[in-house]
Amino acid sequence: MKVGVPKEIKAHEYRVGLTPGAVREYVAAGHRVVIETDAGAGIGSTNDDYRAAGATILDSAAEVFASSEMIVKVKEPQPSEWSQLRESQILFTYLHLAPDPEQAKGLLKSGCTAIAYETVTDAHGGLPLLAPMSEVAGRLAIEAAGSALKRSAGGRGLLIGGVPGVQPARIVVIGGGVVGTHAARMAAGLGAEVTVIDRSIPRLRELDELFEGRIRTRFSTIETVEEEVFAADVVIGAVLVPGASAPKLVRRSMLSSMRKRAVIVDVAIDQGGCFETSHPTTHADPTYEVDGIIHYCVANMPGAVPLTSSQALNNATLPFGLALANKGFSAVLENPHLRAGLNVHRGRLTYKAVAESLGLPFSPIEQAAA
């Protein structure tokens, strides 16, 4: 199969769909790989690095899209990209369609087969292609919160870990999954007072054992969320419903009861955000203020550390990408985990949670593939 990797064009996105090391694996498996010139510049990989790995360098994204049977990216396609997709072409990337009706309509119109990293599953019921970026985003969330807490950035003027004799920041993490766990780990490591809220008692038990009492865990109820959010210096939104829009757990009416100049970091912003007042921001202009509360809602947080992120992502996506390159759409039909990743096929939405979020018709894969 001919596999194409265009340069990412979303604002301040420096990751790349395939690293030179991943290209070598595709080439060794008998596939041809074309890379848009300078696609790997953000991770310090040159065109010569890709040529040495066996790739062909093309001058433009248009050439990559036109000549490839499968497109491998990182972020969801932008309008200029989805307009170049075509029927029978496979797109393998993050999509986050639930809060993005325009992209969904563009992919449906193209007739392509779009497989979303964020809904591919594994044998344990996990999301193996989302996990590495969730790990990165969870850790970065605390760094972002620390910067936003500084008075010069509009925050309360707190040091996350405090100093001897001075109380540290109080950090509340809503959601005890991969993002929440890594955010809690970073925050606790810096000496913050950390509380994780989750609706799963078994997960809360696991977190209690993992952190050996160094964090507090609370079962999620309306009352619990209000109590913790109102007393927090930082609130990390780390809630995930696979494929669907994130639930709005903190309403605007709650902001007036929070500590002034507190910080909220909405890691769920790719799925629409779990704070009612969230809207996507960029690394160039990451924060804004609503009712005296600082919001950090960067939609591609791992893009700030593209070398780490690209390597971690490629480690996870490689076996699935090779399966698609080896067998094409047949791999989706044969592999239940790739089936779970299928969101769009030949003009139909094949992921139920996405269809419900967008209010569009859902087609089971058997119907869409007929």
Side-chain angles (χ1 to χ4, degrees):
M1 180 179 282
K2 196 169 186 179
V3 179
V5 181
K7 187 174 183 178
E8 297 294 323
I9 60 174
K10 191 165 185 175
H12 290 272
E13 180 52 68
Y14 304 107
R15 289 172 289 180
V16 64
L18 293 181
T19 63
V23 168
R24 287 190 67 182
E25 298 294 328
Y26 277 83
V27 172
H31 305 292
R32 293 175 294 164
V33 180
V34 295
I35 308 284
E36 182 182 354
T37 186
D38 297 329
I43 64 169
S45 293
T46 66
N47 292 335
D48 285 341
D49 292 331
Y50 279 102
R51 289 190 185 98
T56 299
I57 306 299
L58 299 181
D59 291 333
S60 67
E63 292 176 84
V64 172
F65 278 92
S67 63
S68 301
E69 299 166 87
M70 178 167 74
I71 299 293
V72 179
K73 280 175 45 60
V74 178
K75 289 304 291 177
E76 68 278 0
Q78 303 302 294
S80 64
E81 295 176 313
W82 73 57
S83 63
Q84 298 181 71
L85 293 166
R86 63 183 184 273
E87 190 171 345
S88 79
Q89 195 171 44
I90 295 173
L91 173 66
F92 192 38
T93 188
Y94 287 115
L95 293 178
H96 300 294
L97 289 176
D100 193 350
E102 292 307 309
Q103 184 203 168
K105 291 174 184 176
L107 294 180
L108 290 170
K109 184 178 179 180
S110 75
C112 77
T113 296
I115 299 162
Y117 292 162
E118 71 270 14
T119 62
V120 172
T121 58
D122 63 21
H124 307 290
L127 302 171
L129 309 192
L130 185 62
M133 296 304 93
S134 295
E135 292 166 352
V136 172
R139 296 180 182 214
L140 285 177
I142 303 304
E143 292 186 14
S147 295
L149 275 175
K150 294 176 182 176
R151 194 65 183 85
S152 58
R156 302 194 67 224
L158 280 176
L159 182 65
I160 283 181
V163 293
V166 179
Q167 185 173 338
R170 186 168 184 173
I171 296 180
V172 174
V173 181
I174 304 178
V178 178
V179 170
T181 300
H182 283 263
R185 178 175 292 160
M186 287 288 286
L190 289 171
E193 180 183 328
V194 182
T195 300
V196 177
I197 302 174
D198 200 275
R199 294 193 68 87
S200 168
I201 290 178
R203 182 57 184 160
L204 293 176
R205 289 195 181 105
E206 291 172 357
L207 290 170
D208 188 63
E209 293 177 6
L210 176 65
F211 287 97
E212 298 179 334
R214 291 182 294 124
I215 67 168
R216 297 166 63 230
T217 58
R218 297 197 67 183
F219 181 75
S220 181
T221 64
I222 295 172
E223 184 177 35
T224 297
V225 171
E226 288 181 346
E227 287 178 357
E228 294 297 334
V229 167
F230 293 164
D233 299 303
V234 174
V235 181
I236 306 294
V239 177
L240 173 69
V241 179
S245 295
K248 299 295 187 284
L249 299 179
V250 176
R251 298 291 177 179
R252 181 165 187 164
S253 60
M254 298 170 64
L255 300 189
S256 61
S257 298
M258 292 179 65
R259 293 180 174 180
K260 291 302 177 187
R261 301 189 181 279
V263 172
I264 60 178
V265 179
D266 199 341
V267 187
I269 192 63
D270 272 335
Q271 294 294 131
C274 56
F275 305 118
E276 186 177 34
T277 46
S278 293
H279 64 74
T281 61
T282 68
H283 289 292
D285 188 16
T287 63
Y288 59 92
E289 184 177 326
V290 177
D291 297 342
I293 305 302
I294 309 302
H295 291 57
Y296 180 99
C297 304
V298 174
N300 63 328
M301 291 175 65
V305 286
L307 184 55
T308 296
S309 297
S310 295
Q311 290 175 344
L313 181 60
N314 274 245
N315 290 344
T317 59
L318 183 61
F320 294 96
L322 284 174
L324 288 168
N326 290 337
K327 296 187 176 182
F329 186 68
S330 294
V332 177
L333 299 176
E334 296 173 8
N335 186 319
H337 307 304
L338 279 172
R339 283 170 68 99
L342 186 67
N343 280 212
V344 175
H345 182 60
R346 293 182 180 175
R348 298 185 181 186
L349 280 173
T350 57
Y351 198 88
K352 189 173 184 179
V354 169
E356 290 176 345
S357 294
L358 294 172
L360 294 173
F362 162 68
S363 296
I365 186 172
E366 294 80 9
Q367 180 181 338

